[in-house]
Amino acid sequence: MALETGLPATGEEARLIAEIQELKRERDALILAHNYELGPVQDIADATGDSLALARYAQKSSARTLVMCGVYFMAETASILCPDKTVLIPDPEAGCTLADAMTPEQLLAWKAEYPDAVVVSYVNTSAAVKALSDYCCTSANAVDVVRAIDPDRPVLFGPDFFLGSYVARVTGRPNLHVWPGECHVHAAILPEKMEEEVARNPGSELLVHPECGCTTRALALPPRKVAARVLSTDGMLRYARESSATTFVVATELGLLHRLRKENPGKAFLPAHEGAVCPFMKMITLEKIRDALRDNRYEVRVPDDIRQRALLPLERMVAISPPQRHDI
């Protein structure tokens, strides 16, 4: 699409955008887009951010309708936090392999092994898993959430192995147990690919999402070779705006590069791996957003019994906010 490269919208895109704007007014709707969405989707959104930012926007909005441009668990999260609003997802098939990595049955069995444990579930989980959890977290506040828990209590952290391992390393917590799940996109950003890109761009800074398979190697790189930062997507955006560096190697899903380049036109942002594309995030299009608003489809409403149990861990997630700093 033309907007992906910063070119003017085509006639078809301009028509869709005008339709969407009119339907938003008619429906009293707010469009929320994750940082990994297609460029045109990010550009049409009222709010763009990571999972934590979108959860906050959803809670604070006075709009009657929320259009969640992201994957299914994000729409569920909005429904849990905003039961009085209509939550629409433009494509209900937009799933998440990481959210699928832990089922409620698996979590129940894990909890039975550690009956005194506190369960911290990454927000990339189903509503049913959240309902069995004590806390939820995002990559932006995972360290802070774990640090808020009694150090003598065991912690079950899932489903992302790489994020959980990073949290264990930063907190030094020996009683943190990590589920062996992964985001297939981030796990495929291999250390070798990342190091090759760094070597091709001496003097660059390295921004790494903690879900990545290359996180440990990135932190082990000598400072004289590259300055490595482990950050959430919104953390990367903040850091890039404030840094005096002009070239960055970015290890996360490629959708973030659209916003990084848009907000920092004088700086270069290079992917650590060109293949880091989430097919589910790319399922949302301008046409599907238009159809969702026009036809009031596809509504996501979490059953009330699950919603009530999932609300507390999500509220704890939103309440525990990291300070404005450059690491999570």
Side-chain angles (χ1 to χ4, degrees), residues 54-273:
L54 295 183
R56 288 178 175 143
Y57 281 124
Q59 271 196 318
K60 293 177 181 178
S61 170
S62 61
R64 295 199 311 266
T65 301
L66 301 175
V67 182
M68 180 58 72
C69 300
V71 291
Y72 197 83
F73 76 80
M74 296 177 184
E76 284 189 326
T77 299
S79 175
I80 293 166
L81 292 172
C82 309
D84 56 329
K85 301 181 189 299
T86 298
V87 178
L88 305 176
I89 186 166
D91 192 326
E93 298 301 314
C96 175
T97 56
L98 179 56
D100 293 340
M102 177 189 283
T103 66
E105 294 76 19
Q106 288 171 323
L107 179 53
L108 282 170
W110 200 23
K111 288 174 69 170
E113 295 179 42
Y114 300 92
D116 191 41
V118 177
V119 177
V120 178
S121 290
Y122 194 22
V123 72
N124 299 45
T125 47
S126 68
V129 166
K130 291 178 176 70
L132 297 170
S133 306
D134 299 295
Y135 291 83
C136 288
C137 72
T138 69
S139 59
N141 70 354
V143 168
D144 297 274
V145 167
V146 170
R147 282 178 173 158
I149 297 168
D150 181 345
D152 294 326
R153 295 282 300 279
V155 173
L156 303 183
F157 189 100
D160 191 80
F161 175 79
F162 295 108
L163 176 60
S165 298
Y166 175 74
V167 171
R169 182 165 59 250
V170 172
T171 61
R173 192 173 187 124
N175 58 354
L176 190 149
H177 307 277
V178 181
W179 187 259
E182 64 181 30
C183 162
H184 74 286
V185 177
H186 283 97
I189 303 177
L190 301 176
E192 296 77 15
K193 295 275 188 183
M194 174 265 297
E195 291 192 66
E196 287 172 10
E197 195 62 41
V198 167
R200 280 194 291 267
N201 295 278
S204 61
E205 292 205 50
L206 175 61
L207 309 182
V208 182
H209 193 280
E211 284 182 35
C212 288
C214 63
T215 303
T216 299
R217 183 84 67 88
L219 292 172
L221 291 173
R224 68 180 182 278
K225 188 173 183 180
V226 67
R229 308 275 179 176
V230 179
L231 300 157
S232 67
T233 54
D234 272 15
M236 291 182 186
L237 288 157
R238 284 194 301 272
Y239 184 78
R241 286 193 294 266
E242 298 168 8
S243 173
S244 60
T246 58
T247 303
F248 300 83
V249 175
V250 183
T252 192
E253 207 275 348
L254 293 191
L256 185 66
L257 296 181
H258 174 80
R259 190 171 168 195
L260 283 166
R261 290 165 178 163
K262 183 178 177 180
E263 294 183 2
N264 304 275
K267 299 179 179 182
F269 297 92
L270 310 169
H273 178 35

Side-chain angles (χ1 to χ4, degrees), residues 20-33:
I20 290 167
Q21 298 291 11
E22 180 60 30
L23 287 164
K24 274 174 50 183
R25 287 188 286 272
E26 292 176 10
R27 301 285 190 189
D28 187 21
L30 183 77
I31 297 175
L32 305 175

